[in-house]
Amino acid sequence: PGPRKVLRLAGDLLSALVFAYLGWVSVEYVWRFGGDRLIYLGWPSGLFSSSFVIGPLLAAVAYLVTFWHDVRGGADTASGAADRPQ
């Protein structure tokens, strides 16, 4: 594979790892503060802060799907010509 593809794959993996870590940190946050009650509604704040967990984990999955697609050759048609020498 060309250098652009290798760099793109490394970027996808790094992004997936960063978002997975952010999701894990968010899980700890929700465990710690998710039981607090909202002042006016009286609802647990975990209902709203659960998006801190769901968003990064879905982003990590999206980067992993992109990585898997690129590894299997899916991105070669879009930018493969740029990786080949003229």
Side-chain angles (χ1 to χ4, degrees), residues 33-46:
F33 300 109
D36 296 346
R37 297 275 178 191
L38 297 175
I39 294 173
Y40 295 109
L41 297 176
W43 298 347
S45 64

Side-chain angles (χ1 to χ4, degrees), residues 3-80:
R4 289 184 183 191
K5 184 171 183 176
V6 170
L7 189 60
R8 185 174 55 242
L9 292 173
D12 286 343
L13 275 182
L14 179 64
S15 297
L17 288 173
V18 168
F19 276 110
Y21 176 73
L22 181 62
W24 175 250
V25 170
S26 299
V27 165
E28 291 181 354
Y29 175 83
V30 171
W31 280 342
R32 184 168 296 178
F33 300 109
D36 296 346
R37 297 275 178 191
L38 297 175
I39 294 173
Y40 295 109
L41 297 176
W43 298 347
S45 64
L47 292 173
F48 302 100
S49 58
S50 64
S51 65
F52 298 156
V53 177
I54 296 168
L57 292 180
L58 287 177
V61 168
Y63 276 110
L64 287 175
V65 167
T66 302
F67 172 80
W68 181 250
H69 179 68
D70 289 350
V71 165
R72 301 202 33 123
D76 286 340
T77 57
S79 65

